[in-house]
Amino acid sequence: MILPLLFLISLLLLPCTAEANDFSGYAELKGFAYSERYDGEPYGAGSGTLFSKWEHRPGEAQLTASLRAEWLTSPQDQLSFDPADRRLRRSPLSLRDLWVRLPLAPSHDVEFGRFQLGWGQTDGYSPADAFLPRDLTDPFTDEKLPLWALRVSGQEESFRYQAVLAPVTTPWRLPPLGSRYAPIAAGALPQQTVLREREDDPPVPGFIALRLLATRGDWDLGLWMRTGVRPAPLLQFSLDPALQTGPAPIVSVERRYAREQGVGVELSRVAGLYVLRAELAGLLSKDPELGDAVIGTASVERGFGDGKLLVTLAANAIEPPVNQTLLFDRALLPALIAAWNQTEPWGDWKVVSTTGLEHMDGMAKGEVGYNMTDTWKITTGGDLPYGSDNGALGALKKARRIYLALRRSW
Amino acid sequence: MIARFARPLAAAAAALFFFSLCAGTALAAPDARTLLKDSENRHRTKTQQYAGDLTVVNKEGKVRKKGWRSYREGYAGDAKNLIRFTDPPEVKGVGFLSLSRPGSDNPDQWLYLPSMKRERRIAPQDRDASFVGTDFNYEDMEEFDHEKYKVSLIGEETAEGVPCYVIAAIPNDKGTKSVYQKIVLYLRKDILYLVREDLIRKGEKEPAKRMILSDLKNVEGHWVAGRMEMTDLKKGSKTTVNLKQITFNRPHPASRFTLQNLTREGGD
């Protein structure tokens, strides 16, 4: 494993052009400034990222590999390599792509390796997409984790299908519990409590899923189903007397993964200048701490010149058996998401408002990107959570921040 | 969309046809509609593909570049188009698929964003919105359909160094909801190929934009402009498009204009 890995790293970090090979990537420096300190964490933080991607197309096949190396001031981790993304903390080296696509027939492909999936129709929140693993190390970025999987997909006339087998569970990655990105609600635990998160092994089996799609005139229709391990964990807190060696209580946190079946429908259609999208999903689990869910989303999108307005409403019709902030993919529901994206001659900007309708908490986000050249871009913005501490976003108020990033792409 | 770039508008004269039969006889002024139909017949191709790059220079002299590959099959109300951006890195891999639907003014359109790993059906764009930050708007990207315009020959003059027919095109009441109240077309007389367009916005008298087609070459028996310049005469910015690796009438793979292909990362 180590030799191919070193070869891959050298290949990706030392890009050179070659016929039929395509190298791309970026280097980025990013700095954060927070509105306040939190439990000893500083006012500022930063990161440096180097991402490199190699694509090769021998005939009708496609080979893609990409690697990300990053340095974070917080949370820091030892240099490690976690090609399955199953560890508790994010590794400084991350394999983002390593896949092969082969043609089975003119409109049918098989793809295997490590790649990202994107399902569903509605933006902001999609039940078809929400079950896929995410990295919440930075909860303000919506970073999906790639899967080790096999995918067969194809199209006949206006019908398409995707069948996915993910033999290994890629779990959601959470920020360090008790940090500014995952605060413990005031009063929930005694002061000075120490949380000890264990590096436990998620279950090996992943999930299988099937998605059927059809286009009929103005309509795009979809049906999906899946069964297997739900990658978002259920947290279990325990007080082990053997660990209580000092005045501060030590609480162990373990992760448990439930099995779940899901089925959903999705549709979108154009109506004049509007695009209407909707999804409805039924999610079934015998786990008493997870329970069932019926999640619906509806969104409308409208273009205005070089800008676009998007509004999405998402809700779960079934009250969860535990505090929903502990069910990460459902923590926000019901929610209203509104976003405006605008392209300008000099770059782009966006404003996003996310409101949790149960606790009336939310987050306002603004971002401006300025293209200094075609390859140099400077971005600045802010993430401003607000509202009740009982809400998934309101609880993050002490993580309010502004940021500045400089990126060089190639 | 950019399909139009390698699709000459056409032009020319029944008069030419008539002239070929009755050389030396006095001719009536050619009819604009006939010229346009003749041009269309002359330059229309069943398929086309090319690699394009464009450069946008704003009035401060700041330069932006973009690259893409374009594939087309059919034309007008029967066209299928696939565009895949190759440059800059920020938009690399973004794909756009447009499939004309018989009986509908608006084609079905989807956008594939590699960052999202999924395709999105999109609504018809605001026709005056800038196309990917260039001086072309979405209407400029469409194929010019002379049937949607009242056309008249308003003269003959030398433009871009060649003798041209000058044709005024005014949108029909029933025609497309054009951003422009008038388009002035300059058709090269000898090959009935568009070499210049002056675009006059509603409520204005002077052209707001001017498109110049140059570097004409004959590729596989078809005339095509290898270079296009769109100047925004008010903003002072200019977008230059260069077409490379142009081919016509070569069959596309059966799966090229499909959503399956649109979502193939790293594919055409």
Side-chain angles (χ1 to χ4, degrees):
Chain A
M1 179 69 195
I2 196 70
L3 280 177
L5 181 61
L6 289 172
F7 172 72
L8 178 67
I9 292 170
S10 65
L11 189 70
L12 291 173
L13 297 184
L14 299 169
C16 55
T17 54
E19 198 167 340
N21 290 315
D22 190 358
F23 285 95
S24 58
Y26 66 86
E28 182 180 78
L29 288 172
K30 197 168 186 179
F32 301 97
Y34 296 93
S35 60
E36 56 187 284
R37 296 188 64 167
Y38 181 84
D39 197 23
E41 293 180 70
Y43 280 107
S47 67
T49 306
L50 179 63
F51 174 82
S52 192
K53 187 173 189 177
W54 169 76
E55 295 172 278
H56 180 57
R57 226 178 139 184
E60 293 298 303
Q62 171 78 25
L63 311 175
T64 299
S66 71
L67 190 70
R68 182 179 68 191
E70 64 181 354
W71 164 79
L72 306 171
T73 60
S74 172
Q76 287 180 311
D77 198 15
Q78 292 181 329
L79 185 64
S80 61
F81 189 61
D82 178 20
D85 263 323
R86 285 163 58 89
R87 290 194 185 164
L88 197 63
R89 296 284 170 260
R90 185 148 136 178
S91 168
L93 280 178
S94 173
L95 184 65
R96 313 302 294 170
D97 294 274
L98 186 62
W99 54 266
V100 178
R101 185 181 63 234
L102 300 169
L104 298 172
S107 286
H108 301 265
D109 302 313
V110 61
E111 193 175 340
F112 54 90
R114 183 163 171 76
F115 53 86
Q116 235 183 63
L117 272 184
W119 278 20
Q121 289 285 357
T122 50
D123 289 312
Y125 189 93
S126 158
D129 208 52
F131 78 84
L132 296 167
R134 278 170 163 74
D135 188 334
L136 299 184
T137 301
D138 179 345
F140 297 142
T141 60
D142 183 20
E143 179 173 307
K144 272 199 281 192
L145 287 166
L147 303 163
W148 286 100
L150 170 78
R151 172 168 58 177
V152 180
S153 61
Q155 177 169 353
E156 285 297 335
E157 300 294 334
S158 61
F159 291 94
R160 289 184 293 150
Y161 67 90
Q162 272 190 55
V164 177
L165 168 64
V168 178
T169 288
T170 304
W172 283 51
R173 178 171 290 118
L174 309 182
L177 298 181
S179 71
R180 62 163 41 113
Y181 285 155
I184 302 298
L189 293 170
Q191 284 197 333
Q192 310 298 319
T193 297
V194 176
L195 293 171
R196 180 167 293 179
E197 296 179 76
R198 290 189 181 173
E199 185 77 69
D200 41 18
D201 278 334
V204 171
F207 66 88
I208 56 172
L210 177 68
R211 188 180 185 209
L212 305 171
L213 298 158
T215 298
R216 280 281 178 271
D218 284 330
W219 293 87
D220 286 339
L221 308 164
L223 170 70
W224 60 266
M225 55 206 78
R226 70 177 169 97
T227 182
V229 171
R230 177 176 178 267
L234 296 162
L235 299 181
Q236 292 186 303
F237 298 85
S238 61
L239 201 64
D240 182 351
L243 295 175
Q244 311 309 314
T245 55
I250 297 175
V251 174
S252 295
V253 186
E254 293 181 10
R255 289 162 169 72
R256 199 163 56 74
Y257 297 86
R259 292 189 66 84
E260 186 180 63
Q261 290 75 47
V263 60
V265 292
E266 49 187 89
L267 59 90
S268 77
R269 71 153 296 164
V270 173
L273 294 174
Y274 295 87
V275 184
L276 310 175
R277 302 185 177 103
E279 291 187 52
L280 182 66
L283 304 158
L284 305 171
S285 176
K286 293 177 181 173
D287 192 291
E289 290 184 8
L290 176 60
D292 300 337
V294 175
I295 298 175
T297 57
S299 80
V300 59
E301 180 185 295
R302 163 83 154 87
F304 295 91
D306 297 332
K308 189 170 68 177
L309 174 66
L310 176 85
V311 180
T312 300
L313 181 65
N316 180 3
I318 296 180
E319 188 76 25
V322 296
N323 185 325
Q324 65 182 10
T325 56
L326 297 173
L327 303 177
F328 304 97
D329 56 329
R330 300 168 199 176
L332 261 182
L333 305 177
L336 179 69
I337 301 140
W340 182 284
N341 294 276
Q342 182 80 25
T343 304
E344 303 284 359
W346 43 263
D348 53 74
W349 57 267
K350 68 179 176 185
V351 287
V352 183
S353 165
T354 306
T355 307
L357 299 177
E358 180 164 349
H359 300 286
M360 294 314 292
D361 61 324
M363 186 171 72
K365 180 182 180 73
E367 186 175 281
V368 179
Y370 176 71
N371 298 319
M372 295 184 291
T373 70
D374 282 329
T375 54
W376 285 92
K377 183 172 186 175
I378 190 163
T379 304
T380 185
D383 300 303
L384 303 172
Y386 62 86
S388 166
D389 290 350
N390 296 322
L393 292 171
L396 298 173
K397 279 204 295 268
K398 293 186 177 178
R400 284 177 181 166
R401 67 186 189 183
I402 55 173
Y403 55 86
L404 181 68
L406 177 66
R407 178 180 287 207
R408 163 76 162 90
S409 305
W410 60 82
Chain B
M1 303 228 342
I2 306 184
R4 175 189 181 171
F5 283 156
R7 293 286 314 279
L9 205 212
L16 281 183
F17 174 71
F18 189 68
F19 183 81
S20 67
L21 296 176
C22 316
T25 51
L27 297 177
D31 168 64
R33 182 76 62 197
T34 310
L35 284 172
L36 292 168
K37 280 182 183 174
D38 192 18
S39 170
E40 196 174 73
N41 293 337
R42 226 188 250 210
H43 300 295
R44 183 167 272 180
T45 58
K46 289 179 183 173
T47 72
Q48 154 205 301
Q49 67 184 61
Y50 67 87
D53 63 65
L54 63 81
T55 306
V56 185
V57 183
N58 69 9
K59 65 181 178 186
E60 289 85 30
K62 197 170 181 180
V63 178
R64 289 271 176 277
K65 292 187 176 180
K66 285 186 170 63
W68 72 94
R69 294 190 308 270
S70 171
Y71 308 92
R72 176 182 57 80
E73 187 173 88
Y75 39 79
D78 182 35
K80 299 174 182 176
N81 288 290
L82 174 67
I83 290 165
R84 187 80 68 173
F85 284 90
T86 56
D87 217 31
E90 204 170 52
V91 297
K92 184 175 182 286
V94 169
F96 174 82
L97 178 67
S98 176
L99 303 176
S100 292
R101 202 175 341 141
S104 172
D105 280 346
N106 295 317
D108 292 329
Q109 296 179 329
W110 292 267
L111 195 65
Y112 175 72
L113 300 170
S115 57
M116 293 175 70
K117 308 293 180 196
R118 57 182 179 173
E119 81 284 357
R120 332 275 299 118
R121 184 186 273 261
I122 58 173
Q125 302 297 311
D126 180 337
R127 298 166 65 77
D128 203 16
S130 164
F131 176 71
V132 294
T134 69
D135 292 296
F136 292 88
N137 63 28
Y138 279 86
E139 181 173 342
D140 299 331
M141 295 292 100
E142 295 169 8
E143 288 180 74
F144 181 83
D145 182 357
H146 64 84
E147 298 289 352
K148 293 181 177 175
Y149 294 81
K150 298 170 194 164
V151 294
S152 57
L153 185 68
I154 57 175
E156 296 179 19
E157 65 179 76
T158 298
E160 311 314 313
V162 290
C164 293
Y165 294 109
V166 185
I167 294 173
I170 296 169
N172 286 332
D173 294 339
K174 298 175 188 174
T176 183
K177 293 176 183 174
S178 178
V179 171
Y180 306 109
Q181 73 174 17
K182 186 161 81 169
I183 301 174
V184 181
L185 309 166
Y186 293 78
L187 290 169
R188 189 167 143 172
K189 290 175 80 170
D190 56 350
I191 56 172
L192 300 182
Y193 195 93
L194 181 74
V195 294
R196 181 171 134 188
E197 250 185 36
D198 288 352
L199 302 151
I200 300 157
R201 290 185 187 278
K202 285 179 177 167
E204 296 178 7
K205 291 182 178 177
E206 296 301 313
K209 298 198 292 189
R210 174 169 295 153
M211 183 167 73
I212 293 171
L213 296 91
S214 59
D215 189 22
L216 259 65
K217 46 195 164 191
N218 194 290
V219 177
E220 299 167 1
H222 297 275
W223 286 100
V224 61
R227 180 183 174 92
M228 260 154 279
E229 279 183 3
M230 177 69 89
T231 305
D232 189 314
L233 300 168
K234 293 195 170 179
K235 285 198 298 187
S237 57
K238 181 188 283 187
T239 299
T240 304
V241 179
N242 291 300
L243 306 185
K244 299 170 289 187
Q245 302 162 32
I246 308 166
T247 63
F248 293 112
N249 294 332
R250 295 194 187 173
H252 290 286
S255 65
R256 176 154 284 159
F257 301 100
T258 63
L259 286 164
Q260 173 73 7
N261 187 49
L262 179 70
T263 57
R264 279 177 179 143
E265 193 162 330
D268 289 334

